[in-house]
């Protein structure tokens, strides 16, 4: 008998308790993933790690990894921290033609089919089918018709089903992938503009998405696959920009979340939940937004931790000329300034505002530059320098006060990498609170 996917079990359990939910880590950063897995060990949780199509694809994405490479990368980190692989769920986010949206539809969809095939063949079992964007030869003067979105989504699902059938031939125990449809959010990574208001998805639009997708699945003989559609991405009114956060308002989202009650085997997936308060996250889970995606907030926390360690390094070694300092903050900013490709569409205004945003924006475009060899070298030197000494508690209290208290109570080791990962865990703890009674 085919084993049930853990996310299908979670949704079934929600019938007994609205507290059931899960958070999904959308990041390709080593420290973020290790922190998430280590936090998952504490409560014996399932952990979802997702790669986005622009991060990881058949051409390497901005990480240089194909889906199988990313799988192996995450598995190595899981083995390093002794996290059980059976508790690990790999997901693919915004899988579709997003990366190739400026190309003609036929070409973009062909690349999307290969993208889906590689993700499923590599063992990713949570698949977000995202075909919501205009393609190169679509009429951009008008909204993309839901029927077109659904038709393209069904084509990609058919590819996923074929890839799974081949995977199962070689490994009969392989879990059938579950699917997430819809995309009522900006492109991955947060809003590109400071918006005055966020439009909550209308209940009728959510219902129309389900009806239209089911019709498309039926037309492609995919009704058996429809049983594995577990969630719809909606906009419940949460978003963030450079300096702004749009907080969840359950009253404003009430009509949308009320409509979900008609569908007992379905939940909402919330994107851009970064920077929401713990109570807001808990309310989202209670209201049916049971899958909480988080990414930039985690690398934002990591960036805060790295900057704190860089300040500590300067305090400890500024009068020791024999020690070559990392100059991590300056190195990172220099490479961001010299290659603006990853932030130029997000940061606007006078040069001083842009310089500030490069370091401190909630959008956290820093994460795109951390894999650069020169930046990584500076980061490694920072960690190496601090590993060579015992960091005084007084300085930790100044720059990482939460971690200082954990050290004092015996819950954290005074080691630079431990300090860094624990700063990330501070953010993850908000999500743990949201999904637990």
């Amino acid at each position: 008998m085919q084993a049930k996917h853990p996310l299908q079990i979670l949704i079934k359990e929600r019938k007994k308790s609205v507290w059931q939910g899960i958070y999904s880590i959308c990041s390709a950063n080593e420290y973020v993933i290790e922190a998430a897995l280590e936090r998952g060990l504490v409560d014996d949780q399932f952990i979802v790690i997702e790669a986005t199509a622009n991060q990881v694809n058949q051409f390497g994405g901005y990480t240089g990894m194909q889906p199988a490479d990313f799988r192996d990368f995450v598995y190595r980190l899981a083995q390093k921290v002794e996290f059980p692989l059976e508790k690990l769920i790999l997901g693919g986010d915004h899988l579709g033609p997003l990366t190739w949206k400026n190309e003609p539809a036929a070409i973009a969809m062909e690349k999307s089919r290969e993208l889906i095939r590689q993700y499923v063949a590599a063992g990713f079992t949570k698949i977000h089918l995202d075909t919501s964007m205009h393609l190169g030869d679509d009429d951009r003067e008008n909204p993309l018709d839901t029927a077109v979105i659904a038709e393209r989504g069904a084509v990609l699902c058919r590819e996923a089903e074929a890839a799974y059938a081949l995977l199962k031939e070689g490994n009969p125990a392989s879990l059938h992938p579950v699917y997430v449809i819809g995309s009522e959010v900006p492109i991955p990574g947060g809003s590109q503009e400071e918006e005055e208001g966020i439009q909550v998805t209308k209940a009728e639009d959510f219902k129309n998405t389900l009806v239209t997708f089911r019709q498309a699945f039926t037309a492609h003989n995919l009704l058996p696959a429809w049983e594995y559609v577990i969630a719809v991405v909606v906009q419940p009114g949460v978003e963030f920009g450079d300096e702004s956060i749009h907080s969840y308002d359950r009253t404003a989202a009430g009509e949308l979340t009320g409509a979900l009650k008609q569908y007992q085997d379905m939940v909402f997936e919330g994107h851009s939940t970064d920077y929401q308060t713990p109570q807001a996250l808990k309310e989202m889970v209670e209201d049916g937004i049971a899958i909480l995606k988080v990414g930039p907030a985690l690398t934002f926390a990591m960036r805060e931790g790295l900057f704190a360690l860089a300040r500590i390094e300067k305090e400890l070694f500024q009068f020791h000329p024999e020690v070559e300092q990392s100059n991590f903050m300056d190195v990172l900013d220099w490479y961001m300034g010299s290659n603006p490709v990853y932030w130029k569409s997000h940061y606007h205004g006078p040069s001083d505002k842009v310089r500030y945003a490069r370091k401190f924006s909630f959008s956290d475009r820093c994460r795109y530059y951390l894999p650069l060899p020169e930046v990584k070298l500076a980061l490694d030197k920072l960690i190496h320098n601090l590993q060579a000494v015992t960091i005084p508690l007084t300085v930790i209290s100044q720059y990482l006060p939460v971690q200082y208290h954990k050290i004092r109570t015996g819950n954290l080791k005074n080691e630079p990498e431990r300090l860094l990962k624990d700063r990330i865990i501070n953010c993850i703890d908000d999500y743990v609170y949201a999904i637990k009674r």
Side-chain angles (χ1 to χ4, degrees):
M1 183 176 179
Q2 178 68 45
K4 279 276 190 182
H5 194 285
L7 295 179
Q8 290 178 302
I9 295 172
L10 179 148
I11 293 170
K12 183 178 180 181
E13 289 296 311
R14 278 187 61 84
K15 295 178 183 179
K16 303 175 184 177
S17 170
V18 297
W19 296 91
Q20 295 286 340
I22 197 165
Y23 55 89
S24 175
I25 307 296
C26 196
S27 178
N29 181 272
E30 179 175 351
Y31 284 116
V32 168
I33 294 173
E34 281 191 25
L37 296 174
E38 290 176 1
R39 184 63 184 83
L41 284 171
V42 175
D43 296 318
D44 191 28
Q45 298 169 325
F46 279 96
I47 296 295
V48 182
I49 305 292
E50 299 209 39
T52 303
N54 62 346
Q55 288 175 327
V56 175
N57 58 48
Q58 65 266 41
F59 304 107
Y62 73 77
T63 64
M65 287 187 279
Q66 296 180 358
D69 299 324
F70 184 80
R71 173 203 61 203
D72 294 344
F73 167 66
V74 175
Y75 281 5
R76 284 195 297 271
L77 297 179
Q79 290 165 354
K80 176 182 176 182
V81 303
E82 300 182 344
F83 186 88
L85 294 182
E86 62 270 19
K87 287 281 189 176
L88 179 61
I89 301 170
L90 292 178
D93 191 31
H94 292 285
L95 300 187
L98 174 67
T99 308
W100 309 288
K101 64 182 179 180
N102 293 323
E103 299 187 32
I107 296 174
M109 286 299 294
E110 181 62 32
K111 291 179 178 178
S112 300
R113 286 195 289 272
E114 177 61 18
L115 175 74
I116 292 284
R117 188 195 69 77
Q118 289 199 18
Y119 267 84
V120 174
F124 289 69
T125 64
K126 178 181 178 293
I127 303 296
H128 175 205
L129 302 170
D130 183 8
T131 52
S132 61
M133 65 294 300
H134 286 90
L135 301 182
D137 47 7
D138 289 332
D139 177 11
R140 295 177 182 267
E141 299 299 318
N142 295 295
L144 193 60
D145 190 270
T146 304
V148 173
I149 296 172
E151 167 65 19
R152 291 171 177 172
V155 168
L156 296 186
C157 183
R158 187 177 61 199
E159 192 70 38
E161 290 290 292
Y164 172 69
L166 288 175
L167 179 66
K168 193 176 180 185
E169 284 182 9
N171 183 4
S174 298
L175 275 180
H176 194 291
V178 293
Y179 301 111
V180 178
I181 61 174
S183 184
E184 287 280 344
V185 292
I187 65 171
S191 175
Q192 294 187 13
E193 305 291 342
E194 296 290 339
E195 302 179 52
E196 292 186 6
I198 297 294
Q199 182 66 51
V200 175
T201 301
K202 295 179 181 178
E204 57 264 33
D205 290 341
F206 154 61
K207 294 178 182 179
N208 183 52
T209 294
L210 283 180
V211 169
T212 309
F213 264 82
R214 185 181 174 91
Q215 289 172 345
F217 273 50
T218 301
H220 284 270
N221 297 316
L222 289 170
L223 268 184
W226 185 256
E227 300 302 315
Y228 294 94
V229 177
I230 62 164
V232 180
V233 178
V234 294
Q235 175 50 277
V238 301
E239 189 51 81
F240 58 90
D242 280 351
E243 298 179 348
S244 64
I245 301 169
H246 297 273
S247 300
Y248 181 63
D249 182 341
R250 72 188 325 174
T251 301
E255 183 180 357
L256 172 64
T257 57
L260 182 64
K261 296 176 182 178
Q262 301 174 33
Y263 306 92
Q264 292 298 308
D265 296 322
M266 194 83 62
V267 296
F268 287 144
E269 177 168 287
H271 290 210
S272 299
T273 69
D274 309 70
Y275 310 109
Q276 296 293 310
T277 66
Q279 186 57 37
L281 292 170
K282 183 176 285 292
E283 290 178 0
M284 291 172 71
V285 172
E286 292 174 4
D287 294 345
I289 309 162
I291 304 174
L292 303 172
K293 294 291 294 297
V294 56
L298 299 173
T299 47
F300 181 91
M302 182 184 69
R303 191 272 311 157
E304 286 189 331
L306 286 170
F307 280 17
L309 292 178
R311 297 290 189 189
I312 291 172
E313 179 193 38
K314 185 175 181 179
E315 293 289 350
L316 296 183
F317 299 117
Q318 61 181 323
F319 301 118
H320 292 267
E322 74 279 6
V323 177
E324 181 185 6
Q325 293 193 47
S326 69
N327 297 310
F328 173 77
M329 294 173 64
D330 293 334
V331 170
L332 173 63
D333 192 59
W334 190 91
Y335 279 96
M336 291 186 73
S338 62
N339 181 18
V341 63
Y342 293 119
W343 56 260
K344 63 182 179 181
S345 62
H346 286 72
Y347 303 155
H348 309 286
S351 59
D352 60 333
K353 182 178 180 181
V354 170
R355 284 196 297 270
Y356 176 85
R358 287 205 303 258
K359 282 188 171 75
F360 301 112
S361 168
F362 283 133
S363 298
D364 183 46
R365 310 305 289 178
C366 296
R367 67 188 187 275
Y368 290 88
Y369 296 85
L370 294 177
L372 293 179
E374 298 83 357
V375 178
K376 188 176 187 306
L377 183 64
L379 193 160
D380 290 344
K381 181 173 285 294
L382 169 64
I383 298 298
H384 174 77
N385 284 344
L386 293 177
Q387 285 174 334
V389 299
T390 299
I391 305 174
L393 288 178
T394 51
V395 185
I396 295 176
S397 179
Q398 175 66 43
Y399 292 105
L400 291 165
V402 174
Q403 285 61 50
Y404 162 79
H405 285 290
K406 287 189 176 183
I407 293 171
R408 290 295 311 280
T409 55
N411 294 312
L412 182 65
K413 291 184 178 180
N414 183 359
E415 299 170 355
E417 288 187 308
R418 292 285 183 180
L419 295 171
L420 179 58
K421 286 191 283 187
D422 195 71
R423 177 63 193 91
I424 301 166
I425 286 172
N426 292 161
C427 179
I428 295 173
D429 282 342
D430 291 347
Y431 288 82
V432 175
Y433 170 80
I435 66 170
K436 290 178 66 177
R437 180 180 292 277

